[in-house]
Amino acid sequence: MIQGEKIGLRARHESDVAVLHAELYDDVATRARADSRPWRPISPGSSDSPFTVAGPSDEVAFFSVVELESGELAGEALLWAIDTHNRTAHIGMAMRPAFRNRGLGVDVLHTLCEYGFAVRGLQRLQIETLADNGPMLGVAAKAGFIREGTLRRSAWVYGAREDEAILGLLAEEWTPRS
């Protein structure tokens, strides 16, 4: 487990999948804002759940987020599209509803940056989020990410076109926690 101040990032346990699926996937309107792929019904327990992890991969690192104080599963975090040649990756994270607005998001991003930069030796981490996702934009800014641009009307979200914000952080801009 990689520990932050309030959270830990650990391997996904099989028991995490049903909880994450029920709380983060089956909420269609929220999931449509978090994933560029269209929502489709997936039965609980299916190996097709986006939270099922088959095994280690060089292209993606899936984590379950655990609140250290309670030991409870708080959400998911991942580095995806890991490019070992260019030393870049994209960041994704989602917190269970009961764990939102508790100050955990910045710690998740700091801890993902530690994994990406210190453990994996990456040079750049990137976040794509909807331009109106104030909580994610705020958390990213507090973690040191810089808004680099806007992809106008690039996302199809539950019947409407939305703008996406692109944020980046370079290894030399990252400040490790002491």
Side-chain angles (χ1 to χ4, degrees):
M1 179 185 298
I2 300 174
Q3 290 192 358
E5 294 174 356
K6 298 178 181 181
I7 61 91
L9 300 179
R10 65 159 167 75
R12 179 84 34 90
H13 294 176
E14 194 168 321
S15 59
D16 298 343
V17 174
V19 174
L20 295 172
H21 190 91
E23 293 190 31
L24 299 178
Y25 188 80
D26 284 342
D27 177 353
V28 179
T30 300
R31 183 68 184 188
R33 294 182 53 78
D35 196 334
S36 62
R37 297 165 294 188
W39 185 90
R40 58 192 174 102
I42 298 174
S43 300
S46 169
S47 62
D48 291 326
S49 172
F51 303 103
T52 300
V53 177
S57 166
D58 289 333
E59 292 82 33
V60 65
F62 294 98
F63 297 98
S64 287
V65 177
V66 177
E67 183 183 47
L68 294 176
E69 185 177 326
S70 67
E72 289 185 67
L73 176 66
E76 72 148 349
L78 63 146
L79 292 185
W80 57 276
I82 299 170
D83 180 337
T84 55
H85 175 72
N86 291 303
R87 296 177 38 212
T88 62
H90 299 256
I91 286 181
M93 63 180 262
M95 303 303 286
R96 294 173 56 202
F99 292 88
R100 295 177 189 155
N101 303 312
R102 291 173 56 176
L104 302 177
V106 174
D107 198 29
V108 171
L109 283 185
H110 279 299
T111 309
L112 277 173
C113 289
E114 180 181 342
Y115 175 74
F117 293 135
V119 176
R120 296 293 295 260
L122 298 175
Q123 171 58 32
R124 173 187 166 78
L125 295 175
Q126 180 171 309
I127 297 170
E128 299 89 11
T129 189
L130 295 177
D132 66 354
N133 186 349
M136 185 61 185
L137 293 172
V139 164
K142 286 178 185 173
F145 282 79
I146 297 168
R147 187 165 178 163
E148 298 176 335
T150 300
L151 300 175
R152 297 177 308 138
R153 296 179 48 142
S154 64
W156 178 251
V157 180
Y158 215 79
R161 287 257 162 230
E162 301 287 341
D163 293 347
E164 284 183 288
I166 306 298
L167 301 102
L169 182 64
L170 303 178
E172 62 264 20
E173 298 167 339
W174 174 59
T175 305
R177 288 181 281 198
S178 43

